[in-house]
Amino acid sequence: MARRRKEGPEEVRTLERGLKVLEALAEERAMGLTPLAERLGFSKSTLYRLLQTLVRRGFVEEEKGVYRVGPKAFAVGQAYLSQNLLLAARPEMEALARETGESVNLAVPAGLEALYVDQVEGPKLVRLFTAPGSRAPLHATGVGKVFLAFRGVPEGLPLTPYTPHTLTRWEELMAELGAVREQGYALDNEERELGVRCVAAPLFGPNGRVVAALSLSAPASRLTLKEAHRLAPQVVEAAKKASLRLGYTGGVY
């Protein structure tokens, strides 16, 4: 019978260093090799080897020398999401979909994008489908604007134009983010895709940090701007109830 190899102090130290790298990237969203090494106090050669291993395993993504958390880290975190975030949000998503007849989505921040993790389809005949696991730009979606407004704008965020309505000037985007913070919800006014409009609100975790966004989306012909603003309080209320389920006790609402 083969004996299991006992892990030594060096393997444990390497694991701890790898976890510190992931924690730093999760906090900063994206970093280059030199600033990341300075933050962690690692030599660049040691950090580079750690990053290459994490990239190979899918826990980190690298593009033009900039590193960010990869999809494998999200997959591992699904256990937490399923037990906490998804369980907290699902009942409110289902209730909102029944009340409005529209599709309701749940998204989390993922670097320079928003990542959809769940959807409840509305009962109306013409409805929108967003597959869990799909990603969306931060500046051109309701959920993305929620993250920008309440979590801050990450360095290197591109303002890619998707439609004639996309906000591609920083002064316009910053003004809109101020309005999002003030009113408590964000709109996607056909900015990612023509013919699609949505309204989104933040979900707060126990520490008061925005951990997700809940959105209602529908064809723009049905969800006019006036209707989006009318339904916004229901979206905010659903997000509030989900936040309370997560253990949020703050006073933003």
Side-chain angles (χ1 to χ4, degrees), residues 29-51:
R29 298 185 179 89
M31 294 187 77
L33 180 66
T34 298
L36 185 56
E38 292 174 351
R39 168 171 176 159
L40 294 172
F42 296 169
S43 69
K44 287 198 286 187
S45 59
T46 296
L47 178 59
Y48 182 77
R49 289 195 297 272
L50 289 169
L51 285 168

Side-chain angles (χ1 to χ4, degrees), residues 83-235:
Q83 294 173 21
N84 295 272
L85 178 58
L86 297 185
L87 288 177
R90 220 348 140 127
E92 309 310 329
M93 295 171 65
E94 291 173 347
L96 184 61
R98 285 196 304 271
E99 293 168 4
T100 64
E102 306 294 1
S103 297
V104 179
N105 303 294
L106 183 69
V108 296
L112 298 179
E113 297 173 303
L115 178 67
Y116 290 101
V117 294
D118 197 13
Q119 181 184 62
V120 174
E121 291 188 65
K124 291 186 177 179
L125 184 61
V126 178
R127 55 188 183 271
L128 300 178
F129 178 72
T130 302
S134 60
R135 294 175 179 248
L138 296 178
H139 69 296
T141 58
V143 294
K145 290 179 190 175
V146 164
F147 298 142
L148 294 177
F150 289 94
R151 293 174 60 96
V153 179
E155 183 178 351
L157 179 71
L159 300 185
T160 306
Y162 293 97
T163 76
H165 305 292
T166 307
L167 300 179
T168 57
R169 296 173 57 193
W170 281 106
E171 55 269 30
E172 293 178 343
L173 178 61
M174 298 309 292
E176 175 135 347
L177 297 183
V180 171
R181 286 188 293 271
E182 182 176 346
Q183 64 194 13
Y185 63 90
L187 297 181
D188 167 4
N189 185 27
E190 300 186 76
E191 295 162 56
R192 178 65 178 88
E193 184 179 350
L194 290 175
V196 176
R197 186 172 283 120
C198 82
V199 54
L203 269 72
F204 294 87
N207 62 358
R209 185 170 175 79
V210 170
V211 295
L214 187 150
S215 72
L216 179 150
S217 58
S221 58
R222 188 164 68 223
L223 187 63
T224 63
L225 273 176
K226 182 178 180 180
E227 182 69 359
H229 284 293
R230 188 187 71 82
L231 292 176
Q234 291 177 254
V235 179

